[in-house]
Amino acid sequence: MHDEKFMRAALREAARGVGHTSPNPAVGAVIVRGGRIVARGFHRRAGAPHAEIEALGELKNPAMARGATLCVTLEPCSTHGRTPPCVDAIIRAGFARVVIGTLDPNPAHAGRGVGLLRAAGLAVTAGVLESACRELNAGFNQWIVTGRPLVIAKAGLSLDGRLTRPPGEGQWLTSAAARADAMRLRAQVDAILIGAQTLRADNPRLTVRGVPGALQPWRIIVTRSGDLPAKSHVFTDAHRDRTLVFRGKSLRAVLHELGRREVTSVLIEGGGRVLGDAFDRRFVDRVHFYLAPLLCGGPVPAIGGRGVGSTKEAPHLRNPRYEKIGSALRLTAEVEYPDLK
């Protein structure tokens, strides 16, 4: 129980780095001595000291680490990347015990840090609040294993599954509270992707607003013709250097290229054709839908594409979670595709 208590504190530290560390994971650590936390740390950005080193730097006296316990959300690194391996610093500091949330998802590194710590005589407990620690870095975990970013389908839609209001009634379906919540989601991803038709129809900014300290994600435009309005916000505003256009490329090729650029998570915001293509090709890993209490009708479905031939072929939403945000109902879930063999 004490391990879980202190791991929750480490998770709170890790959450402070979400949206700032890519392509590194967000990690938090606390140092425990005599049943209380004496230092805290989190990974602030790629290239900066890791959470364990930040926590060590917070100690009033380095000798306080001797015989203490280090709780960290992710297995300490055992190789030299942008920074030296953390396991070396942990061993030198003289910790008696290390409590780890989840192992390194990289198959080439998983368990190596644990092995080195145990070989040096430290007691190691792994898997404390493992699900929560793994969920914290869902995008990184997928990208480091597959090379493809985590794909989240996000939409504000009416109860009958439409993306837009009738003509002349404005572009927003959801409330200001739901839009503010969506901004917080934008602040956690590396890229936002839309199709050319959404750019022409809505001229969206695709920026993060109202989230202090948030970094601007890449803005990805996919187009067949390349005929895009040159005066669009994404080409003329202060973040225009964060806009990438992919012309005549399949969604698979776009995601592959984004992964190569160290983009670990992509938010697809529309329109219906792009979302439909993403579901048809089984690229969507999660959904983040805001359901407005409206019935719009009309020809613009939230998810287009060719669809499925039978309900047996339909993707299922796993672990769905519902929360009322303003007047909208937010649905978040993981997407599971049936095995059609």
Side-chain angles (χ1 to χ4, degrees):
M1 290 301 293
H2 289 301
D3 285 350
E4 291 187 0
K5 170 188 172 183
F6 294 125
M7 188 59 70
R8 288 191 185 93
L11 278 165
R12 288 193 293 271
E13 290 300 308
R16 298 172 66 186
V18 171
H20 295 268
T21 63
S22 186
N24 286 359
V27 183
V30 297
I31 296 174
V32 180
R33 188 177 182 88
R36 66 185 185 90
I37 295 173
V38 294
R40 306 168 188 261
F42 70 99
H43 186 40
R44 297 173 184 272
R45 64 183 185 281
H50 290 184
E52 304 94 318
I53 309 305
E54 286 273 351
L56 280 167
E58 287 294 310
L59 286 174
K60 294 179 179 178
N61 183 343
M64 294 176 70
R66 295 205 167 275
T69 295
L70 172 70
C71 288
V72 59
T73 56
L74 181 66
E75 179 180 10
C77 64
S78 56
T79 59
H80 199 299
R82 290 182 171 94
T83 59
C86 288
V87 290
D88 294 350
I90 294 169
I91 293 167
R92 284 196 306 269
F95 285 103
R97 182 167 178 252
V98 179
V99 179
I100 296 169
T102 184
L103 297 183
D104 191 323
N106 188 335
H109 301 157
R112 189 170 185 269
V114 170
L116 290 170
L117 292 170
R118 285 177 173 159
L122 283 74
V124 178
T125 301
V128 176
L129 298 184
E130 184 174 9
S131 294
C133 292
R134 189 187 306 119
E135 174 63 21
L136 185 72
N137 292 298
F140 171 82
N141 295 344
Q142 174 161 300
W143 172 75
I144 201 68
V145 173
T146 68
R148 179 175 74 76
L150 184 83
V151 175
I152 306 168
K154 174 257 175 182
L157 59 154
S158 61
L159 289 178
D160 54 344
R162 295 302 189 264
L163 282 176
T164 56
R165 290 180 184 272
E169 294 193 11
Q171 69 181 104
W172 301 116
L173 285 173
T174 55
S175 65
R179 295 197 296 277
D181 187 77
M183 285 294 167
R184 289 188 285 274
L185 176 61
R186 282 184 177 181
Q188 296 175 19
V189 301
D190 293 344
I192 305 167
L193 185 149
I194 63 168
Q197 186 54 39
T198 297
L199 182 70
R200 297 185 192 108
D202 298 339
N203 189 20
R205 297 182 184 275
L206 305 182
T207 53
V208 179
R209 302 181 293 279
V211 184
L215 303 179
Q216 174 57 45
W218 287 101
R219 301 180 294 190
I220 312 302
I221 315 300
V222 293
T223 173
R224 296 177 181 177
S225 67
D227 181 20
L228 302 173
K231 293 184 179 181
S232 300
H233 294 307
V234 295
F235 300 134
T236 58
D237 67 11
H239 302 292
R240 55 188 176 275
D241 62 337
R242 297 289 288 172
T243 299
L244 295 174
V245 175
F246 289 90
R247 178 182 178 183
K249 291 187 178 293
S250 68
L251 190 55
R252 181 185 299 277
V254 171
L255 292 174
H256 176 78
E257 173 60 20
L258 293 177
R260 192 187 68 79
R261 289 172 177 258
E262 298 187 331
V263 169
T264 67
S265 53
V266 176
L267 188 64
I268 299 183
E269 292 204 4
R273 179 183 294 173
V274 174
L275 283 170
D277 186 37
F279 277 104
D280 284 347
R281 299 180 187 280
R282 297 184 162 209
F283 290 146
V284 177
D285 301 297
R286 303 194 171 192
V287 298
H288 206 105
F289 290 161
Y290 298 90
L291 306 174
L294 300 169
L295 298 168
C296 292
V300 185
I303 301 172
R306 64 174 182 269
V308 298
S310 68
T311 53
K312 185 187 276 189
E313 301 173 28
H316 289 76
L317 300 186
R318 187 158 50 93
N319 299 324
R321 296 169 294 281
Y322 302 90
E323 184 176 350
K324 192 171 185 295
I325 307 288
S327 61
L329 186 67
R330 184 184 68 188
L331 163 64
T332 56
E334 301 158 31
V335 180
E336 188 172 78
Y337 299 93
D339 185 353
L340 300 180
K341 292 180 182 179

